Amino acid sequence: QVRLIESGGGSVQTGGSLRLSCTTSGITYTMGWFRQSRGKEPEFVAAITRKGSSSWHADSVKGRFTISREYPENTIYLQMNSLKPEDTAVYYCVGDSGGNDNIYAARNYDYWGQGTQVTVSS
């Protein structure tokens, strides 16, 4: 069973920065981050391929968030700058076992971390 272990959440003021980290205990291919606010569906944030050659970011975070990956250590990071109150959510690290044909769909990821809270106050 592959486990994803996240760290780095917390509380900041508007305009602040945080960096999330996620380490996997096994082999994962595409990895990424989703976030979920209370009462809403999980929202795609960013994803990156196994060796970090390709990455994608949601329009809402482009220019502010950057996903990166260490290979073969299987650790990913989400550097979050210029944080806004609307970024407040539980952030989940995700990974797949290969064959993911839609990196934007939460259902396509096989492994999920326990989640880490990010709170941005105005």
Side-chain angles (χ1 to χ4, degrees), residues 9-18 20 33-38 40 43-45 58-66 78-92 116-122:
S11 298
V12 296
Q13 292 188 327
T14 297
S17 298
L18 286 171
L20 306 182
W33 299 91
F34 278 74
R35 65 187 182 186
Q36 187 171 25
S37 303
R38 187 171 297 180
K40 295 186 177 180
E43 174 191 15
F44 172 82
V45 177
D59 288 343
S60 58
V61 306
K62 278 181 182 176
R64 301 188 298 120
F65 293 10
T66 303
L78 186 68
Q79 178 65 44
M80 304 186 295
N81 299 326
S82 301
L83 282 160
K84 305 175 181 179
E86 51 263 44
D87 295 319
T88 296
V90 176
Y91 283 70
Y92 294 93
T116 185
Q117 178 71 46
V118 170
T119 301
V120 184
S121 58
S122 57

Side-chain angles (χ1 to χ4, degrees), residues 18-44:
L18 286 171
R19 189 174 84 152
L20 306 182
S21 302
C22 174
T23 300
T24 174
S25 64
I27 296 175
T28 53
Y29 292 86
T30 301
M31 294 185 69
W33 299 91
F34 278 74
R35 65 187 182 186
Q36 187 171 25
S37 303
R38 187 171 297 180
K40 295 186 177 180
E41 294 294 313
E43 174 191 15
F44 172 82

Side-chain angles (χ1 to χ4, degrees), residues 64-83:
R64 301 188 298 120
F65 293 10
T66 303
I67 190 170
S68 60
R69 184 166 187 170
E70 292 183 355
Y71 176 81
E73 289 80 7
N74 273 336
T75 298
I76 66 168
Y77 304 94
L78 186 68
Q79 178 65 44
M80 304 186 295
N81 299 326
S82 301
L83 282 160

Side-chain angles (χ1 to χ4, degrees), residues 99-122:
N100 189 342
D101 62 357
N102 183 354
I103 57 97
Y104 301 101
R107 67 180 184 277
N108 279 14
Y109 291 90
D110 304 291
Y111 314 115
W112 287 69
Q114 78 282 2
T116 185
Q117 178 71 46
V118 170
T119 301
V120 184
S121 58
S122 57

